[in-house]
Amino acid sequence: MQTSRNVLAAVVALSFCAAGLVNAADRVGQWTPIALEDQGSFAVGGTVLTAPGAFDPRKPLDPAGQTYHGDHLYAFYQVPVNARPLPLVMWHGAGQFSKTWETTPDGREGFQTIFLRRRFAAYLVDQPRRGDAGRSTVEATIKPTPDEQMWFNQFRVGVWPNYFDGVQFARDPETLNQYFRAMTPNTGPFDMNVVSDAVAALFAKIGPGILVTHSQSGGPGWLAAIKSPNIKAIVAFEPGSNFLFPQGEVPAPMPSAFDTLQGVPVPVPDFMALTRVPIVIVYGDNIPSAPVDLPGQDSWRVRLAMARLWVDAVNRHGGDARLVHLPENGIRGNTHFPFADLNNVEIADLVSKFLAEKRLD
Amino acid sequence: MQTSRNVLAAVVALSFCAAGLVNAADRVGQWTPIALEDQGSFAVGGTVLTAPGAFDPRKPLDPAGQTYHGDHLYAFYQVPVNARPLPLVMWHGAGQFSKTWETTPDGREGFQTIFLRRRFAAYLVDQPRRGDAGRSTVEATIKPTPDEQMWFNQFRVGVWPNYFDGVQFARDPETLNQYFRAMTPNTGPFDMNVVSDAVAALFAKIGPGILVTHSQSGGPGWLAAIKSPNIKAIVAFEPGSNFLFPQGEVPAPMPSAFDTLQGVPVPVPDFMALTRVPIVIVYGDNIPSAPVDLPGQDSWRVRLAMARLWVDAVNRHGGDARLVHLPENGIRGNTHFPFADLNNVEIADLVSKFLAEKRLD
């Protein structure tokens, strides 16, 4: 059976080559088929609550003696034919879920499918207490509070209702409709330890891989890498908070028009784990270099500044971290979601190049 | 480009044939690659709330003038190479999400991938106010109430902690762990109209297709078919409530040890929509034929009984509905999730046969 599988995989792979459709840059077009070796989903991590007492099957609504499995993450994975050795684990930011990496708001392919075409297996996470991983062990109330103009600004699409000049974001109404509907609430309090434990459990299950974080998952992403030696590299898009510094090296708090950003101290031996894997941090455009009174933009000024200090700290301790501020590299107009912006194939190329350079592909 | 695409599709399809791996029953094994033409995700349906006032970008946390997009559904879709004309839209039941149709609790392929291998495009839904479609327009509080022994019984795996003899459910602890973690809470009140509106909007977007429902989605599934002429057939696994009868033909309420099941009246012209599409309803095993004092099982006694009356009503009005009670067909041990049970390929064969018979494949 193994032989037949390999034969068929080869035939499918050959059929791609025969048609001459895989070019040197591995940029297979949207219109070519994707050959999947496997796909599926599972929960991993989490805990179990048990109510005291004895369960009575005649009183099903009485919690006595019943259990509650919660605080796991949910992952949907796909493995392409002839997959590269290390999978990508893609972890959303605040208010988001796996959709972050799926179809873009304007209907193009996201990182899930782009990297599948580049022969990377992909695991898309809904973190504990979010989306399909909704069974939280802590109670929460969810209110439909109108907040989307805040997100439009905070995610640096523009200053509502105006788009930034040259922003890499389509301006049709349906794109904005999809963008706003790509959010889903927390079903329990956000907890750095709970979410990083679950991601560490994911890596314990799947083995070595590359972690891709976005915004809110940046901080717990560092923590997951401290907890799991299977995280072999980190690609962090616009980490937004919880920068982990060695005890005694935490920079001064950074006030902005949005909040005051604080670094988080961790023991030096923990921090050292972050010096053992290559890390790239990517920020987009329209981040002011001097204070402005618009919270949505000013918050990113201090985040970018602290990320620079963080990269310095990692490298000072012997690590291999770098920060790519896209406009400094001539790539303009990116929002808080570079991997979903109009130029996301160019952004994917940067990631591919990083992984190739580090021999992780 | 279109030509290249077709050429490549043909090459990939031929490569499958050349390897001799597609047998007559279309039962492609788990170890053969899947060739995807396309995949992605989107939100559809829903509504928009707007807070009165004017948005001030300097006060991002003030809802004034801000919007909230909610009550949409979220769909993840995959289109295989050489897809059959009609896609399958798969809609979960109570407390569940898309996972219902993905990997089974014991780690095998679910209906999503089984039918992809059989060349059906599949759209997997998270209904409004559930899972990844969590932005509800109505507030909700989510409590971690231990309830899993209830579900074990209600879903007819057994009578906790015992499994039914011959149940089509793996008995290792990890299967049960995955089973319980495949649940996610409502993030707003369940609303027949909200969820059926969103599914009708999905069919308006994608065109004609086949609706596959489970349990709680059975009732709103009938309603969606009344609302959308694009629903060309319904496969309903164990519909649990909200059987829609013509006004004046609602059967007497049916008491059980769990609750009292009531039919729901709809205007006759609405009901007639359900006589225009083929419908198959499937129930599993361990449903008692006479009253028992165990709510988990007794609830299904009255549901199966009302489903039989419902099929009679549809056919009396000129429709094409049938009920398949699996044990009457010699298929034993199925739980409330026949499509995920150990014999789910056999269950998929029944669905394939139904679709072939109705010339819907």
Side-chain angles (χ1 to χ4, degrees), chain A residues 34 36 39 41 43 58 66-67 69 72 74 78 102-103 126 132 134-135 140-142 147-150 178 181 184 293, chain B residues 34 36 39 41 43 58 66-67 69 72 74 78 102-103 126 132 134 140-142 147-150 178 181 184 293:
Chain A
I34 302 160
L36 291 182
Q39 69 173 9
S41 65
R58 286 165 189 82
Q66 300 205 54
T67 58
H69 288 60
H72 49 269
Y74 159 79
Q78 296 182 302
E102 300 166 5
T103 305
D126 278 9
D132 287 339
R135 294 272 272 190
T141 295
I142 300 173
D147 59 0
E148 291 167 344
Q149 284 58 36
M150 172 186 77
Q178 291 295 325
R181 295 186 190 280
T184 203
D293 69 347
Chain B
I34 303 160
L36 290 183
Q39 69 174 9
S41 65
R58 284 163 191 82
Q66 299 206 55
T67 57
H69 289 61
H72 48 269
Y74 158 79
Q78 295 181 303
E102 299 166 5
T103 305
D126 277 9
D132 287 338
T141 295
I142 300 173
D147 59 0
E148 291 167 344
Q149 284 59 35
M150 172 187 77
Q178 291 294 325
R181 295 186 190 280
T184 204
D293 70 347

Short mmCIF file of all heavy atoms in Angstrom, two decimals, chain A residues 34 36 39 41 43 58 66-67 69 72 74 78 102-103 126 132 134-135 140-142 147-150 178 181 184 293, chain B residues 34 36 39 41 43 58 66-67 69 72 74 78 102-103 126 132 134 140-142 147-150 178 181 184 293:
data_model
loop_
_atom_site.label_atom_id
_atom_site.label_comp_id
_atom_site.label_asym_id
_atom_site.label_seq_id
_atom_site.Cartn_x
_atom_site.Cartn_y
_atom_site.Cartn_z
N ILE A 34 -4.45 21.31 -6.43
CA ILE A 34 -3.61 21.03 -5.26
C ILE A 34 -3.75 19.54 -4.97
O ILE A 34 -4.88 19.06 -4.86
CB ILE A 34 -4.12 21.81 -4.04
CG1 ILE A 34 -4.15 23.31 -4.32
CG2 ILE A 34 -3.30 21.49 -2.80
CD1 ILE A 34 -5.06 24.07 -3.38
N LEU A 36 -3.48 16.77 -2.34
CA LEU A 36 -3.38 16.58 -0.89
C LEU A 36 -3.09 15.13 -0.58
O LEU A 36 -3.76 14.23 -1.08
CB LEU A 36 -4.71 16.93 -0.20
CG LEU A 36 -5.16 18.38 -0.15
CD1 LEU A 36 -6.47 18.45 0.62
CD2 LEU A 36 -4.09 19.24 0.50
N GLN A 39 -5.80 15.25 4.98
CA GLN A 39 -6.33 16.43 5.67
C GLN A 39 -7.22 15.95 6.81
O GLN A 39 -7.71 14.81 6.79
CB GLN A 39 -7.09 17.35 4.73
CG GLN A 39 -8.41 16.79 4.23
CD GLN A 39 -9.22 17.81 3.43
OE1 GLN A 39 -8.75 18.90 3.09
NE2 GLN A 39 -10.46 17.47 3.11
N SER A 41 -8.83 17.11 11.12
CA SER A 41 -8.88 18.05 12.23
C SER A 41 -8.88 17.30 13.55
O SER A 41 -9.20 16.11 13.60
CB SER A 41 -10.14 18.92 12.13
OG SER A 41 -11.31 18.13 12.29
N ALA A 43 -8.73 18.12 18.21
CA ALA A 43 -8.51 18.97 19.37
C ALA A 43 -7.24 18.49 20.05
O ALA A 43 -6.90 17.32 19.99
CB ALA A 43 -9.69 18.89 20.32
N ARG A 58 -31.08 9.37 34.74
CA ARG A 58 -32.48 9.82 34.73
C ARG A 58 -32.60 11.32 35.00
O ARG A 58 -33.68 11.89 34.91
CB ARG A 58 -33.31 9.01 35.73
CG ARG A 58 -33.57 7.61 35.21
CD ARG A 58 -34.05 6.62 36.23
NE ARG A 58 -34.04 5.28 35.62
CZ ARG A 58 -32.95 4.50 35.52
NH1 ARG A 58 -31.79 4.90 36.00
NH2 ARG A 58 -33.04 3.33 34.92
N GLN A 66 -20.78 14.77 36.28
CA GLN A 66 -20.50 14.93 34.86
C GLN A 66 -19.18 15.69 34.62
O GLN A 66 -18.70 16.39 35.49
CB GLN A 66 -21.66 15.66 34.17
CG GLN A 66 -22.99 14.92 34.29
CD GLN A 66 -23.97 15.26 33.17
OE1 GLN A 66 -23.64 15.14 31.99
NE2 GLN A 66 -25.17 15.68 33.53
N THR A 67 -18.63 15.51 33.43
CA THR A 67 -17.36 16.15 33.07
C THR A 67 -17.59 17.24 32.03
O THR A 67 -18.64 17.34 31.40
CB THR A 67 -16.36 15.12 32.50
OG1 THR A 67 -16.95 14.49 31.35
CG2 THR A 67 -15.99 14.07 33.52
N HIS A 69 -14.90 18.92 29.10
CA HIS A 69 -13.59 19.06 28.46
C HIS A 69 -13.50 20.45 27.86
O HIS A 69 -14.34 20.81 27.01
CB HIS A 69 -13.41 18.02 27.35
CG HIS A 69 -13.22 16.61 27.85
ND1 HIS A 69 -14.16 15.94 28.61
CD2 HIS A 69 -12.18 15.75 27.69
CE1 HIS A 69 -13.72 14.72 28.89
NE2 HIS A 69 -12.52 14.58 28.35
N HIS A 72 -8.97 23.34 25.22
CA HIS A 72 -8.16 22.78 24.13
C HIS A 72 -8.12 23.77 22.97
O HIS A 72 -8.92 24.71 22.91
CB HIS A 72 -8.81 21.48 23.64
CG HIS A 72 -10.28 21.65 23.37
ND1 HIS A 72 -11.23 21.41 24.35
CD2 HIS A 72 -10.97 22.11 22.30
CE1 HIS A 72 -12.44 21.69 23.87
NE2 HIS A 72 -12.30 22.12 22.62
N TYR A 74 -8.32 23.81 18.63
CA TYR A 74 -8.82 23.02 17.50
C TYR A 74 -7.93 23.33 16.30
O TYR A 74 -7.59 24.49 16.06
CB TYR A 74 -10.27 23.41 17.20
CG TYR A 74 -10.74 23.08 15.80
CD1 TYR A 74 -11.12 21.78 15.46
CD2 TYR A 74 -10.82 24.06 14.82
CE1 TYR A 74 -11.54 21.47 14.18
CE2 TYR A 74 -11.25 23.77 13.54
CZ TYR A 74 -11.60 22.47 13.23
OH TYR A 74 -12.03 22.18 11.96
N GLN A 78 -3.75 20.20 6.65
CA GLN A 78 -3.66 19.64 5.30
C GLN A 78 -2.20 19.35 4.99
O GLN A 78 -1.32 20.16 5.29
CB GLN A 78 -4.21 20.64 4.27
CG GLN A 78 -5.69 20.91 4.47
CD GLN A 78 -6.25 21.86 3.43
OE1 GLN A 78 -5.78 22.98 3.30
NE2 GLN A 78 -7.25 21.42 2.69
N GLU A 102 -7.02 31.82 5.66
CA GLU A 102 -7.78 31.22 4.56
C GLU A 102 -8.02 32.30 3.49
O GLU A 102 -7.21 33.21 3.34
CB GLU A 102 -9.08 30.62 5.11
CG GLU A 102 -8.81 29.52 6.15
CD GLU A 102 -10.04 29.13 6.96
OE1 GLU A 102 -11.14 29.64 6.69
OE2 GLU A 102 -9.89 28.34 7.91
N THR A 103 -9.10 32.17 2.75
CA THR A 103 -9.42 33.15 1.70
C THR A 103 -9.33 34.57 2.25
O THR A 103 -9.83 34.87 3.33
CB THR A 103 -10.85 32.88 1.20
OG1 THR A 103 -10.93 31.52 0.79
CG2 THR A 103 -11.22 33.79 0.05
N ASP A 126 -7.58 27.29 15.87
CA ASP A 126 -8.44 28.17 16.66
C ASP A 126 -7.97 28.00 18.10
O ASP A 126 -8.01 26.88 18.64
CB ASP A 126 -9.92 27.76 16.58
CG ASP A 126 -10.61 28.29 15.32
OD1 ASP A 126 -9.93 28.82 14.43
OD2 ASP A 126 -11.84 28.14 15.23
N ASP A 132 -14.02 27.72 16.99
CA ASP A 132 -14.40 26.31 17.10
C ASP A 132 -13.81 25.63 18.34
O ASP A 132 -14.14 24.49 18.63
CB ASP A 132 -13.98 25.57 15.84
CG ASP A 132 -14.88 25.92 14.65
OD1 ASP A 132 -16.00 26.40 14.88
OD2 ASP A 132 -14.45 25.73 13.50
N GLY A 134 -14.39 26.55 21.41
CA GLY A 134 -15.17 27.46 22.26
C GLY A 134 -15.45 26.98 23.67
O GLY A 134 -15.94 27.75 24.48
N ARG A 135 -15.17 25.70 23.98
CA ARG A 135 -15.49 25.20 25.32
C ARG A 135 -14.46 25.74 26.32
O ARG A 135 -13.41 25.14 26.56
CB ARG A 135 -15.50 23.67 25.34
CG ARG A 135 -16.59 23.03 24.51
CD ARG A 135 -17.90 22.83 25.26
NE ARG A 135 -17.97 21.56 25.97
CZ ARG A 135 -19.09 21.08 26.53
NH1 ARG A 135 -20.21 21.75 26.47
NH2 ARG A 135 -19.07 19.93 27.15
N ALA A 140 -18.06 33.37 30.50
CA ALA A 140 -17.92 34.66 29.83
C ALA A 140 -19.27 35.15 29.34
O ALA A 140 -20.16 34.34 29.04
CB ALA A 140 -16.96 34.56 28.66
N THR A 141 -19.42 36.46 29.27
CA THR A 141 -20.60 37.06 28.65
C THR A 141 -20.15 37.77 27.38
O THR A 141 -19.15 38.49 27.37
CB THR A 141 -21.27 38.05 29.61
OG1 THR A 141 -21.77 37.30 30.73
CG2 THR A 141 -22.44 38.77 28.94
N ILE A 142 -20.88 37.50 26.31
CA ILE A 142 -20.53 38.06 25.00
C ILE A 142 -21.57 39.09 24.61
O ILE A 142 -22.75 38.77 24.51
CB ILE A 142 -20.45 36.93 23.95
CG1 ILE A 142 -19.39 35.91 24.37
CG2 ILE A 142 -20.16 37.50 22.57
CD1 ILE A 142 -19.36 34.69 23.50
N ASP A 147 -18.02 47.94 17.14
CA ASP A 147 -16.59 48.24 17.34
C ASP A 147 -15.79 48.21 16.05
O ASP A 147 -14.55 48.26 16.08
CB ASP A 147 -16.00 47.21 18.33
CG ASP A 147 -16.13 45.78 17.84
OD1 ASP A 147 -16.68 45.56 16.74
OD2 ASP A 147 -15.69 44.85 18.56
N GLU A 148 -16.47 48.14 14.91
CA GLU A 148 -15.73 47.82 13.68
C GLU A 148 -14.94 49.00 13.12
O GLU A 148 -13.91 48.80 12.46
CB GLU A 148 -16.70 47.24 12.63
CG GLU A 148 -17.15 45.86 13.08
CD GLU A 148 -18.33 45.30 12.32
OE1 GLU A 148 -19.04 46.07 11.63
OE2 GLU A 148 -18.57 44.10 12.44
N GLN A 149 -15.40 50.22 13.40
CA GLN A 149 -14.63 51.37 12.95
C GLN A 149 -13.32 51.44 13.73
O GLN A 149 -12.29 51.86 13.20
CB GLN A 149 -15.46 52.65 13.08
CG GLN A 149 -16.54 52.80 11.98
CD GLN A 149 -17.53 51.64 11.94
OE1 GLN A 149 -17.92 51.07 12.96
NE2 GLN A 149 -17.96 51.28 10.74
N MET A 150 -13.38 51.03 15.01
CA MET A 150 -12.14 50.90 15.78
C MET A 150 -11.19 49.92 15.10
O MET A 150 -10.01 50.22 14.91
CB MET A 150 -12.44 50.39 17.20
CG MET A 150 -11.16 50.05 17.98
SD MET A 150 -11.48 49.30 19.59
CE MET A 150 -11.91 47.62 19.14
N GLN A 178 -16.70 41.01 4.29
CA GLN A 178 -15.98 39.78 4.65
C GLN A 178 -14.97 40.05 5.77
O GLN A 178 -14.77 39.22 6.67
CB GLN A 178 -15.26 39.20 3.43
CG GLN A 178 -16.19 38.63 2.37
CD GLN A 178 -16.98 37.41 2.85
OE1 GLN A 178 -16.47 36.60 3.63
NE2 GLN A 178 -18.22 37.29 2.41
N ARG A 181 -16.72 40.29 9.10
CA ARG A 181 -17.31 39.01 9.49
C ARG A 181 -16.25 37.93 9.74
O ARG A 181 -16.58 36.80 10.08
CB ARG A 181 -18.33 38.56 8.45
CG ARG A 181 -19.54 39.49 8.36
CD ARG A 181 -20.63 38.97 7.44
NE ARG A 181 -21.66 39.97 7.19
CZ ARG A 181 -22.66 40.26 8.04
NH1 ARG A 181 -22.76 39.60 9.18
NH2 ARG A 181 -23.55 41.19 7.75
N THR A 184 -14.54 36.74 15.44
CA THR A 184 -15.39 35.92 16.31
C THR A 184 -14.92 36.15 17.74
O THR A 184 -13.72 36.36 17.97
CB THR A 184 -15.34 34.43 15.87
OG1 THR A 184 -16.52 33.77 16.33
CG2 THR A 184 -14.12 33.70 16.42
N ASP A 293 -2.10 61.64 17.66
CA ASP A 293 -3.18 61.52 18.64
C ASP A 293 -4.27 60.53 18.18
O ASP A 293 -5.36 60.51 18.74
CB ASP A 293 -3.78 62.89 18.96
CG ASP A 293 -4.55 63.47 17.78
OD1 ASP A 293 -4.40 62.93 16.65
OD2 ASP A 293 -5.29 64.45 17.98
N ILE B 34 -5.81 13.50 -2.87
CA ILE B 34 -7.03 14.19 -3.27
C ILE B 34 -6.59 15.35 -4.15
O ILE B 34 -5.74 16.14 -3.73
CB ILE B 34 -7.77 14.75 -2.05
CG1 ILE B 34 -8.08 13.64 -1.04
CG2 ILE B 34 -9.02 15.50 -2.46
CD1 ILE B 34 -8.36 14.16 0.35
N LEU B 36 -7.51 18.82 -5.51
CA LEU B 36 -8.45 19.91 -5.30
C LEU B 36 -8.33 20.94 -6.42
O LEU B 36 -7.24 21.39 -6.76
CB LEU B 36 -8.14 20.65 -3.99
CG LEU B 36 -8.39 19.95 -2.66
CD1 LEU B 36 -8.05 20.92 -1.53
CD2 LEU B 36 -9.84 19.49 -2.56
N GLN B 39 -10.20 25.73 -2.97
CA GLN B 39 -10.72 25.69 -1.61
C GLN B 39 -10.68 27.09 -1.03
O GLN B 39 -9.94 27.96 -1.51
CB GLN B 39 -9.93 24.73 -0.72
CG GLN B 39 -8.51 25.19 -0.40
CD GLN B 39 -7.81 24.27 0.60
OE1 GLN B 39 -8.28 23.20 0.96
NE2 GLN B 39 -6.65 24.72 1.07
N SER B 41 -12.85 29.98 2.07
CA SER B 41 -13.88 30.20 3.08
C SER B 41 -14.46 31.59 2.92
O SER B 41 -13.85 32.47 2.32
CB SER B 41 -13.29 30.04 4.48
OG SER B 41 -12.32 31.04 4.73
N ALA B 43 -17.90 34.30 4.72
CA ALA B 43 -19.11 34.50 5.51
C ALA B 43 -20.23 34.82 4.55
O ALA B 43 -20.01 35.39 3.47
CB ALA B 43 -18.91 35.63 6.50
N ARG B 58 -10.62 59.25 17.87
CA ARG B 58 -9.85 59.45 19.10
C ARG B 58 -10.49 58.76 20.30
O ARG B 58 -9.91 58.73 21.39
CB ARG B 58 -9.65 60.95 19.36
CG ARG B 58 -8.60 61.55 18.44
CD ARG B 58 -8.61 63.04 18.32
NE ARG B 58 -7.73 63.44 17.21
CZ ARG B 58 -8.10 63.44 15.92
NH1 ARG B 58 -9.34 63.08 15.59
NH2 ARG B 58 -7.25 63.78 14.98
N GLN B 66 -20.44 53.33 15.38
CA GLN B 66 -19.74 52.13 14.92
C GLN B 66 -20.74 51.03 14.52
O GLN B 66 -21.90 51.03 14.94
CB GLN B 66 -18.79 51.61 16.01
CG GLN B 66 -17.71 52.63 16.38
CD GLN B 66 -16.45 51.97 16.92
OE1 GLN B 66 -15.85 51.10 16.29
NE2 GLN B 66 -16.02 52.40 18.10
N THR B 67 -20.28 50.10 13.70
CA THR B 67 -21.12 49.00 13.22
C THR B 67 -20.67 47.67 13.84
O THR B 67 -19.59 47.55 14.42
CB THR B 67 -21.04 48.86 11.68
OG1 THR B 67 -19.67 48.67 11.30
CG2 THR B 67 -21.59 50.11 10.99
N HIS B 69 -21.16 43.63 12.42
CA HIS B 69 -21.66 42.63 11.48
C HIS B 69 -21.83 41.31 12.23
O HIS B 69 -20.84 40.80 12.79
CB HIS B 69 -20.70 42.43 10.33
CG HIS B 69 -20.65 43.58 9.36
ND1 HIS B 69 -20.27 44.86 9.72
CD2 HIS B 69 -20.94 43.64 8.03
CE1 HIS B 69 -20.33 45.66 8.65
NE2 HIS B 69 -20.73 44.95 7.62
N HIS B 72 -24.15 36.06 10.56
CA HIS B 72 -23.79 35.36 9.32
C HIS B 72 -23.43 33.92 9.65
O HIS B 72 -23.19 33.58 10.81
CB HIS B 72 -22.58 36.05 8.68
CG HIS B 72 -21.49 36.29 9.69
ND1 HIS B 72 -21.41 37.45 10.42
CD2 HIS B 72 -20.49 35.49 10.15
CE1 HIS B 72 -20.39 37.37 11.27
NE2 HIS B 72 -19.82 36.19 11.12
N TYR B 74 -20.47 30.92 8.58
CA TYR B 74 -19.11 30.79 8.03
C TYR B 74 -19.04 29.45 7.32
O TYR B 74 -19.52 28.43 7.85
CB TYR B 74 -18.09 30.86 9.17
CG TYR B 74 -16.75 30.24 8.85
CD1 TYR B 74 -15.81 30.94 8.09
CD2 TYR B 74 -16.42 28.98 9.31
CE1 TYR B 74 -14.58 30.38 7.79
CE2 TYR B 74 -15.19 28.40 9.02
CZ TYR B 74 -14.27 29.11 8.27
OH TYR B 74 -13.06 28.55 7.97
N GLN B 78 -14.42 23.12 -0.37
CA GLN B 78 -13.40 22.49 -1.19
C GLN B 78 -14.07 21.94 -2.45
O GLN B 78 -15.15 21.34 -2.37
CB GLN B 78 -12.72 21.35 -0.43
CG GLN B 78 -11.94 21.84 0.78
CD GLN B 78 -11.24 20.73 1.52
OE1 GLN B 78 -11.87 19.78 1.96
NE2 GLN B 78 -9.93 20.83 1.65
N GLU B 102 -15.73 16.41 9.63
CA GLU B 102 -14.28 16.27 9.40
C GLU B 102 -13.81 14.95 10.00
O GLU B 102 -14.58 13.99 10.06
CB GLU B 102 -13.57 17.50 10.00
CG GLU B 102 -14.02 18.81 9.34
CD GLU B 102 -13.61 20.07 10.11
OE1 GLU B 102 -12.89 19.96 11.11
OE2 GLU B 102 -14.05 21.17 9.70
N THR B 103 -12.56 14.90 10.42
CA THR B 103 -12.02 13.68 11.01
C THR B 103 -12.94 13.15 12.10
O THR B 103 -13.43 13.90 12.94
CB THR B 103 -10.64 14.00 11.62
OG1 THR B 103 -9.83 14.57 10.59
CG2 THR B 103 -9.97 12.75 12.16
N ASP B 126 -20.42 26.57 9.75
CA ASP B 126 -20.67 26.89 11.16
C ASP B 126 -21.86 27.84 11.14
O ASP B 126 -21.79 28.93 10.55
CB ASP B 126 -19.47 27.61 11.80
CG ASP B 126 -18.38 26.66 12.28
OD1 ASP B 126 -18.45 25.45 11.97
OD2 ASP B 126 -17.44 27.13 12.95
N ASP B 132 -16.98 29.39 14.58
CA ASP B 132 -16.30 30.47 13.88
C ASP B 132 -17.26 31.55 13.36
O ASP B 132 -16.80 32.58 12.87
CB ASP B 132 -15.49 29.89 12.71
CG ASP B 132 -14.24 29.15 13.20
OD1 ASP B 132 -13.79 29.43 14.34
OD2 ASP B 132 -13.72 28.31 12.46
N GLY B 134 -19.20 33.35 15.26
CA GLY B 134 -19.56 33.66 16.64
C GLY B 134 -20.12 35.05 16.89
O GLY B 134 -20.61 35.32 17.99
N ALA B 140 -25.13 36.83 25.03
CA ALA B 140 -25.26 35.51 25.66
C ALA B 140 -24.19 35.35 26.73
O ALA B 140 -23.12 35.95 26.66
CB ALA B 140 -25.09 34.41 24.62
N THR B 141 -24.51 34.53 27.73
CA THR B 141 -23.53 34.15 28.75
C THR B 141 -23.25 32.65 28.59
O THR B 141 -24.18 31.85 28.43
CB THR B 141 -24.06 34.46 30.16
OG1 THR B 141 -24.19 35.88 30.27
CG2 THR B 141 -23.10 33.96 31.23
N ILE B 142 -21.97 32.33 28.57
CA ILE B 142 -21.54 30.95 28.36
C ILE B 142 -20.95 30.41 29.65
O ILE B 142 -19.99 30.96 30.18
CB ILE B 142 -20.51 30.87 27.22
CG1 ILE B 142 -21.13 31.41 25.94
CG2 ILE B 142 -20.00 29.46 27.03
CD1 ILE B 142 -20.15 31.55 24.80
N ASP B 147 -21.62 18.45 31.42
CA ASP B 147 -22.81 17.90 30.77
C ASP B 147 -22.50 16.72 29.85
O ASP B 147 -23.36 16.28 29.08
CB ASP B 147 -23.49 19.01 29.94
CG ASP B 147 -22.56 19.60 28.87
OD1 ASP B 147 -21.40 19.16 28.76
OD2 ASP B 147 -23.00 20.51 28.14
N GLU B 148 -21.26 16.21 29.90
CA GLU B 148 -20.85 15.27 28.85
C GLU B 148 -21.43 13.88 29.01
O GLU B 148 -21.62 13.17 28.01
CB GLU B 148 -19.32 15.24 28.78
CG GLU B 148 -18.81 16.57 28.23
CD GLU B 148 -17.31 16.80 28.39
OE1 GLU B 148 -16.67 16.08 29.20
OE2 GLU B 148 -16.80 17.71 27.74
N GLN B 149 -21.73 13.49 30.26
CA GLN B 149 -22.37 12.18 30.43
C GLN B 149 -23.78 12.23 29.84
O GLN B 149 -24.28 11.23 29.29
CB GLN B 149 -22.36 11.78 31.90
CG GLN B 149 -20.99 11.31 32.39
CD GLN B 149 -19.88 12.34 32.23
OE1 GLN B 149 -20.07 13.54 32.37
NE2 GLN B 149 -18.68 11.88 31.91
N MET B 150 -24.43 13.40 29.96
CA MET B 150 -25.71 13.58 29.27
C MET B 150 -25.57 13.36 27.77
O MET B 150 -26.34 12.62 27.17
CB MET B 150 -26.27 14.98 29.52
CG MET B 150 -27.50 15.27 28.67
SD MET B 150 -28.08 16.99 28.80
CE MET B 150 -26.89 17.85 27.77
N GLN B 178 -11.64 13.25 22.03
CA GLN B 178 -11.93 14.01 20.80
C GLN B 178 -13.43 14.26 20.65
O GLN B 178 -13.85 15.32 20.20
CB GLN B 178 -11.40 13.24 19.57
CG GLN B 178 -9.89 13.18 19.48
CD GLN B 178 -9.25 14.55 19.26
OE1 GLN B 178 -9.79 15.40 18.57
NE2 GLN B 178 -8.08 14.77 19.85
N ARG B 181 -14.52 17.06 22.91
CA ARG B 181 -13.92 18.35 22.51
C ARG B 181 -14.41 18.81 21.13
O ARG B 181 -14.00 19.87 20.66
CB ARG B 181 -12.39 18.26 22.55
CG ARG B 181 -11.86 18.05 23.96
CD ARG B 181 -10.35 18.10 24.04
NE ARG B 181 -9.85 17.68 25.35
CZ ARG B 181 -9.82 18.45 26.44
NH1 ARG B 181 -10.27 19.70 26.38
NH2 ARG B 181 -9.37 17.98 27.60
N THR B 184 -18.84 22.93 20.78
CA THR B 184 -18.55 24.35 21.02
C THR B 184 -19.89 25.04 21.29
O THR B 184 -20.91 24.65 20.72
CB THR B 184 -17.77 24.96 19.83
OG1 THR B 184 -17.04 26.10 20.26
CG2 THR B 184 -18.69 25.35 18.67
N ASP B 293 -37.50 4.69 30.77
CA ASP B 293 -37.37 5.84 31.68
C ASP B 293 -36.00 6.51 31.57
O ASP B 293 -35.62 7.29 32.44
CB ASP B 293 -37.68 5.43 33.12
CG ASP B 293 -36.62 4.52 33.72
OD1 ASP B 293 -35.77 4.02 32.93
OD2 ASP B 293 -36.62 4.32 34.94
#
